[in-house]
């Protein structure tokens, strides 16, 4: 059934394990920007390092829970930093776990959106390129054309209250999420 007759569910994955992560602050702002969607956080913290020897059946318990959390939502939004001009290792590890087994992989065919925040000036462009490349290899449906880069993030949040306060960023993020919601509808028609 197409999800437009009911509340859409979107999983939020943060590509940083840091407690005071800026990307976690951005992810936390998303649900209040688009109240028609039910968002839930999907944590990477418990996932073991990917090992093909462990990847049989449902896999280790944290992997089973992670894959199940992805399977039960209509789309995934990844909010991630950039490390050394690329994808953070914890996120790549998680995407590898969600890329198997074969045609029933949790991320395969899943509508996916990308957001990234950095204190730097280039807005996680390079990291997002690599995340997109990985998701395309998995055959997830990454929202095309639209990009959501947040640079100099420390000036856009109230770090103490952990709030996204910059109005322009809030406006663009809301628009990105709305387009992602439409993308979920479009992907349904591909199935
Ligand atoms: C190992 C490491 C590599 C980094 N490389 C980059 C980088 O290539 N580009 C960038 O914009 N920021 C880079 N940074 C800075 C991160 O953007 C910054 O630490 C950011 O706050 C991490 O995201 P978080 O706040 O969500 O944890 C790097 C940080 C670390 C620890």
């Amino acid at each position: 059934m197409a999800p437009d007759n009911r509340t859409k569910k979107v999983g939020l994955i943060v590509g940083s394990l840091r407690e005071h992560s800026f990307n976690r602050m951005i992810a936390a702002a998303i649900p209040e920007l688009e109240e028609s969607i039910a968002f839930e956080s999907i944590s990477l913290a418990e996932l073991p390092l990917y090992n093909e020897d462990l990847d049989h059946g449902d896999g280790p318990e944290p992997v089973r829970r992670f894959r199940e959390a992805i399977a039960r939502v209509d789309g995934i939004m990844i909010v991630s930093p950039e490390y050394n001009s690329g994808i953070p290792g914890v996120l790549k590890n998680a995407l590898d776990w969600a890329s198997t087994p074969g045609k029933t992989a949790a991320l395969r065919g899943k509508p996916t959106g990308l957001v990234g925040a950095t204190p730097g000036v280039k807005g996680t462009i390079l990291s997002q390129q690599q995340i997109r490349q990985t998701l395309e290899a998995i055959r997830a449906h990454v929202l095309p054309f639209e990009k959501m880069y947040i640079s100099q993030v420390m000036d856009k949040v109230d770090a103490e209250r952990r709030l996204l306060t910059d109005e322009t960023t809030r406006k663009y993020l809301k628009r990105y999420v709305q387009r992602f919601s439409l993308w979920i509808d479009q992907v349904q028609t591909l199935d």
Side-chain angles (χ1 to χ4, degrees):
M1 186 177 73
D4 45 358
N5 293 332
R6 58 177 174 80
T7 305
K8 278 184 199 128
K9 289 182 282 183
V10 169
L12 287 167
I13 290 179
V14 175
S16 168
L17 301 182
R18 197 166 77 88
E19 191 187 348
H20 296 294
S21 158
F22 287 118
N23 284 277
R24 195 177 312 289
M25 273 180 233
I26 300 298
I30 289 175
E32 72 198 47
L33 295 175
E34 187 47 62
E35 290 178 354
S36 69
I37 297 176
F39 289 93
E40 64 175 83
S41 294
I42 301 179
S43 172
L44 314 182
E46 306 301 326
L47 290 173
L49 288 178
Y50 185 80
N51 179 343
E52 218 174 327
D53 292 339
L54 304 178
D55 194 1
H56 45 78
D58 288 338
E61 180 55 19
V63 171
R64 190 196 63 73
R65 285 200 305 269
F66 178 66
R67 287 172 171 166
E68 195 183 78
I70 294 173
R72 65 169 178 256
V73 293
D74 301 302
I76 293 288
M77 287 199 75
I78 294 173
V79 187
S80 179
E82 174 175 292
Y83 283 169
N84 297 308
S85 303
I87 183 170
V90 288
L91 179 60
K92 179 64 163 62
N93 183 57
L95 297 181
D96 288 340
W97 276 119
S99 73
T100 61
K103 290 184 177 162
T104 59
L107 274 173
R108 192 175 168 118
K110 190 69 68 176
T112 311
L114 300 180
V115 175
T118 172
V121 292
K122 291 190 181 161
T124 74
I125 294 172
L126 296 170
S127 166
Q128 287 197 36
Q129 281 175 0
Q130 290 188 357
I131 299 168
R132 187 173 287 269
Q133 189 178 11
T134 299
L135 289 168
E136 285 175 359
I138 300 172
R139 297 182 185 228
H141 293 299
V142 191
L143 174 59
F145 310 119
E146 306 296 333
K147 304 281 162 58
M148 187 65 215
Y149 304 127
I150 304 174
S151 56
Q152 297 178 309
V153 63
M154 63 289 183
D155 298 334
K156 293 167 181 165
V157 297
D158 178 335
E160 228 158 76
R161 291 188 298 148
R162 298 195 186 193
L163 295 175
L164 172 62
T165 44
D166 182 66
E167 278 310 320
T168 307
T169 307
R170 291 178 71 87
K171 189 178 88 183
Y172 282 116
L173 190 56
K174 184 180 172 78
R175 198 175 70 175
Y176 186 86
V177 174
Q178 286 170 338
R179 292 196 173 159
F180 181 59
S181 181
L182 291 175
W183 177 238
I184 292 174
D185 297 336
Q186 284 173 315
V187 169
Q188 297 298 320
T189 66
L190 301 175
D191 290 345

